[in-house]
Amino acid sequence: MTTFALVAAACGNDDDDGGAAPDSAGQTDSGGDSGGSSSSDSGSGGDSGGSISGSVTISGSSTVEPISVRVAELFEEVEPDVQVTVDGPGTGDGFKLFCEGETDISDASRPIKDSEAADCAENGIEWIELRVGIDGIAVMTGEGNSVECVTFNDIYGLVGPESTGFGSWSDAGSLGLATSNLPDADLDIYGPGEESGTFDSFIEIVLEDIADERGQDATTRPDYNANADDNVIIQGIQSSDTSFGWVGFAFAAHASGVKLLDVDGGDGCMGANADTIASGEYPVSRSLYIYVNKAKAAANPALVAYVDYYMSDDGLGTAVSDVGYVNLTDDAKGATRANWAGR
């Protein structure tokens, strides 16, 4: 978990009506309450010019965290008297805090679940969902592995709920699924834990349909090396030539000592890169979000100013690309800005 704070002298006023990057650089549109404030297409992030003071508290996805941190860094140049604190314990843990009213913004690498939305509603928390970028989930192995591409069936056979105890890649074929010719090699698995939005998205995209067809719970095997820190996961994958693991693409794209595997989701093997993730051709892709507490936005000019800046070209453009994620299309940016402006 990384904590980032921008602290400046508290010399501004509250009368304005404005509200760790990874080692390198997804796709579920969901609805959400409309809400927010005006946004800027100029990249200036607003014209309040350092006239606001206050604080903004953000928690949630470790994948989205670097974007929110980068926005905060750029925002400090515009509003130096606003303190922004960001941490990344995971999407699920972030929503717990958010739905208890503990945070202003929840970073999320998946849409909010029905159960989480119910928790928010029970506590009177209304929110605005804002899609801010796209990420692919990189599927990886050690650089010495001969495997180049894996199918969804392969992945299910390696890490799905029926593979508990499997110690070799070739064991994936014992489930009766149509799998590739996987090697008889030690299988060391590293991936995110249940607190991570990457964990949820990976299951939803890759494992859920197969598990449902086989009458199994949609989850992973429990016996693997789980960690909330993407960099720790990558270190584990680096430690074995025949490892298997997955993290957000931003954390994997420039990592050494690992091999990014192509993935066949039914339309042939496809590698992960910015173009294939943005187009949706890479089958393990997802959208990234921030969720803003409506009531806190109405009461906190600093929060509105920060989200205004997030909606600017500096936020949805520069910050997203600076930390290695894939920018939304212009139309998608417009939809996000309209959702925020329509609150």
Side-chain angles (χ1 to χ4, degrees):
M1 180 175 74
T2 303
T3 301
F4 174 86
L6 291 174
V7 184
C11 59
N13 68 68
D14 295 324
D15 297 330
D16 197 297
D17 67 353
D23 293 336
S24 85
Q27 176 149 322
T28 312
D29 261 347
S30 75
D33 290 16
S34 62
S37 158
S38 61
S39 60
S40 168
D41 291 343
S42 67
S44 65
D47 54 9
S48 49
S51 64
I52 299 172
S53 64
S55 62
V56 178
T57 303
I58 306 169
S59 186
S61 168
S62 62
T63 300
V64 182
E65 178 189 14
I67 305 175
S68 292
V69 166
R70 183 59 181 145
V71 172
E73 291 172 342
L74 297 171
F75 179 64
E76 184 188 28
E77 299 174 9
V78 178
E79 295 292 354
D81 298 329
V82 176
Q83 175 182 309
V84 181
T85 303
V86 186
D87 68 49
T91 297
D93 287 346
F95 276 132
K96 288 178 184 176
L97 294 172
F98 183 75
C99 292
E100 291 171 356
E102 298 285 330
T103 56
D104 301 315
I105 295 173
S106 199
D107 288 341
S109 55
R110 56 161 172 79
I112 191 169
K113 295 179 179 179
D114 290 344
S115 60
E116 292 162 340
D119 289 341
C120 277
E122 183 177 347
N123 293 324
I125 305 295
E126 297 184 47
W127 39 263
I128 307 112
E129 178 192 82
L130 302 171
R131 185 178 178 223
V132 298
I134 307 171
D135 180 33
I137 300 177
V139 178
M140 297 178 293
T141 186
E143 60 184 355
N145 200 338
S146 61
V147 177
E148 299 290 340
C149 177
V150 287
T151 66
F152 279 12
N153 279 353
D154 294 337
I155 298 172
Y156 182 89
L158 295 170
V159 301
E162 298 179 79
S163 61
T164 302
F166 287 0
S168 171
W169 283 69
S170 60
D171 289 339
S174 67
L175 297 180
L177 293 165
T179 55
S180 305
N181 185 24
L182 299 175
D184 183 13
D186 289 344
L187 176 61
D188 303 302
I189 303 171
Y190 301 86
E194 293 182 358
E195 75 284 350
S196 170
T198 305
F199 176 89
D200 292 324
S201 294
F202 186 75
I203 290 172
E204 180 181 347
I205 296 169
V206 180
L207 304 180
E208 187 170 67
D209 287 347
I210 302 173
D212 288 347
E213 289 174 4
R214 295 176 65 84
Q216 300 292 322
D217 291 337
T219 188
T220 63
R221 57 190 289 178
D223 57 336
Y224 70 96
N225 300 287
N227 199 287
D229 189 324
D230 297 276
N231 291 309
V232 172
I233 295 169
I234 290 174
Q235 289 168 10
I237 297 169
Q238 291 168 335
S239 70
S240 167
D241 276 347
T242 56
S243 58
F244 180 87
W246 66 100
V247 298
F249 177 73
F251 288 86
H254 300 300
S256 61
V258 298
K259 177 195 287 188
L260 271 67
L261 294 169
D262 292 354
V263 179
D264 183 352
D267 297 316
C269 294
M270 181 61 64
N273 58 57
D275 291 337
T276 59
I277 292 168
S279 68
E281 293 173 280
Y282 179 66
V284 196
S285 303
R286 57 175 173 179
S287 291
L288 305 175
Y289 304 88
I290 62 171
Y291 286 75
V292 184
N293 183 308
K294 273 190 173 184
K296 289 180 180 288
N300 184 356
L303 173 57
V304 171
Y306 174 77
V307 180
D308 278 349
Y309 193 85
Y310 218 128
M311 297 296 98
S312 74
D313 282 348
D314 281 356
L316 294 181
T318 301
V320 172
S321 58
D322 276 356
V323 297
Y325 294 111
V326 177
N327 287 135
L328 300 173
T329 64
D330 288 343
D331 286 347
K333 289 178 184 176
T336 292
R337 289 166 175 153
N339 197 30
W340 173 235
R343 77 184 183 286

